[in-house]
Amino acid sequence: MTTRNALENRGTAQLTAAMMLSGTLGISVVESGASAFNVVFFRVLFGALALGTYAFARGYFRDHGLTPKKLGLAALGGVFIVFNWVFLFKAYEATSISLATVVYHTQPFFLVLLSALVLRERLSRFQLGWLAAAFAGLLLVSGVRPGDAGSLAGIGLALLAALLYALSTLVTKRVTGVRPHLIALVQVLVGIPLLLPFADFGAMSGTGTGWAWLAGLGVIHTGLMYVLMYAAYAKLPTAKIAVLAFTYPAVAMVADWAVYGHHIGLVQALGVPLIVLASLKVTLAPARAARPAPRTAAPAREDASPSARRAVSTG
C-alpha cells in the first residue's frame, strides 16, 4: 500500500468516526435535560477548554496567522455558528432528531443561494435543477400530519439553523492562512459571553448526570470531533468528504430510532434520498468544475477553515 493510500485510508477512518460522533450528538442534547441555550453555553465552554488545550499542546498559538480582520471574521462566523446550534437543538425539542437532522442538511442549498445573492456567483442550470429536487424532497419530508404544529415548528427551526450555518460558512471562507482549530476555538470562545445572558443557571441545580452529557458535548462532540475532522480534511479528496458527510444523518436516524423509537413516515422517507442526493450533487458541483488540486504524499498543513474548502455540515 502506498503512503498516499495509507493516508487516505486513515483520513477515511477519522472522518467516519467524526461523522458518527455527530450522529449521536442529538442523544446527548436530549439526555442532558437542559434547555437549548444552556446546552449550547456549556458546549462552547467545555469545547473551548478542549480545543484550547489541544491547540496549546500542538503549538498552534505560535505563528497563528490571526490578524484583527481575520479575528473579526472568525468571531462573526462564531455568532452564526453558536445560534445555529441553538436553533438546531430547539428543533430536536420540537420534532424528532431524525427529521431535524435531515432538514438541517439543506445547508448546501442555502450556501449556493447566499453565494448568488451576496457574492453574485452565477447559478448554473445543474445547480438550479438539484435545488428544485431538494425543495421537492423538503416538501415530502415536511409532510407532517394536519395539526402537527410541533413538527412544523421543528422543520422551521432546522431550516433557520441551516441558514445560519451557511452564513457562517460564507464568512469563515474568507479567513485564510489560519489553522481551522484556532478558528473553531475563536468561534466557541465568542459563544461564552454571547450566550451568558440567555443561560439559566438556576435551572441547572437538578441536572445531576446531565452534567456528564454536557461535558461530553464539549469535549467529545466539539473538541475530539473537530480534531478528527480537521485531520481527515488534509488527507481526503473533496468527493470522498462529501460522501462520508452523510454518515452523520444516517447515524442520527438510526440512533433516534434505537434510543427513542422515533422514525419518519413513509411519505417523509421518500423525500430523504432526494435531499441527500441533491445535497451531494450541489456540494460536489464546484469540485467538478474546478481544476483538481495536486495530491501529495505528506499531509497538508490545515491552514484554512474546513468550511472554506468544503461545505460539510455538522451539528
Side-chain angles (χ1 to χ4, degrees):
M1 182 182 294
T2 65
T3 303
R4 186 175 69 181
N5 288 338
L7 284 171
E8 187 166 322
N9 289 339
R10 184 179 177 187
T12 298
Q14 289 170 326
L15 188 55
T16 300
M19 292 300 101
M20 291 182 72
L21 286 175
S22 292
T24 62
L25 182 143
I27 305 298
S28 294
V29 171
V30 173
E31 291 300 313
S32 73
S35 68
F37 278 110
N38 281 357
V39 169
V40 179
F41 176 81
F42 287 105
R43 180 184 187 181
V44 297
L45 180 63
F46 290 124
L49 291 172
L51 285 170
T53 301
Y54 179 81
F56 179 78
R58 296 297 299 268
Y60 290 167
F61 292 114
R62 297 191 300 270
D63 300 322
H64 50 73
L66 282 167
T67 63
K69 180 180 179 181
K70 292 177 182 179
L71 189 61
L73 287 170
L76 179 58
V79 173
F80 292 134
I81 277 290
V82 166
F83 282 105
N84 142 76
W85 287 339
V86 170
F87 288 116
L88 179 60
F89 297 168
K90 281 184 172 291
Y92 292 160
E93 296 174 1
T95 183
S96 67
I97 295 171
S98 301
L99 184 57
T101 303
V102 170
V103 174
Y104 183 61
H105 271 74
T106 56
Q107 176 268 336
F109 316 119
F110 283 111
L111 183 58
V112 168
L113 292 173
L114 285 171
S115 296
L117 291 172
V118 178
L119 303 179
R120 305 296 182 185
E121 293 182 2
R122 189 168 61 90
L123 287 174
S124 67
R125 283 182 291 181
F126 175 87
Q127 290 172 315
L128 287 171
W130 284 111
L131 282 169
F135 181 72
L138 184 60
L139 289 177
L140 289 170
V141 166
S142 63
V144 294
R145 296 183 299 276
D148 192 355
S151 290
L152 288 174
I155 289 169
L157 289 165
L159 285 172
L160 184 54
L163 173 60
L164 290 173
Y165 188 96
L167 284 168
S168 176
T169 300
L170 202 64
V171 171
T172 308
K173 70 185 294 186
R174 300 182 61 187
V175 183
T176 58
V178 181
R179 290 185 182 274
H181 309 79
L182 296 181
I183 296 175
L185 178 58
V186 169
Q187 291 176 338
V188 292
L189 284 172
V190 164
I192 296 174
L194 191 64
L195 293 174
L196 190 58
F198 303 100
D200 182 5
F201 298 111
M204 302 301 295
S205 58
T207 300
T209 57
W211 284 111
W213 293 101
L214 291 172
L217 279 168
V219 176
I220 299 174
H221 289 100
T222 304
L224 176 60
M225 185 182 75
Y226 281 108
V227 167
L228 287 170
M229 281 198 304
Y230 299 154
Y233 286 154
K235 304 180 182 76
L236 297 174
T238 301
K240 180 166 281 191
I241 290 172
V243 171
L244 290 175
F246 287 98
T247 305
Y248 168 26
V251 171
M253 293 175 73
V254 171
D256 196 22
W257 168 78
V259 178
Y260 302 115
H262 295 159
H263 59 83
I264 60 178
L266 178 60
V267 174
Q268 292 173 306
L270 295 176
V272 173
L274 271 177
I275 292 177
V276 170
L277 181 60
S279 178
L280 187 60
K281 291 290 186 180
V282 169
T283 301
L284 291 178
R288 297 196 327 166
R291 185 177 62 186
R295 298 295 306 279
T296 59
R301 170 178 168 168
E302 303 148 314
D303 57 357
S305 75
S307 54
R309 298 190 298 265
R310 299 105 178 168
V312 176
S313 71
T314 57

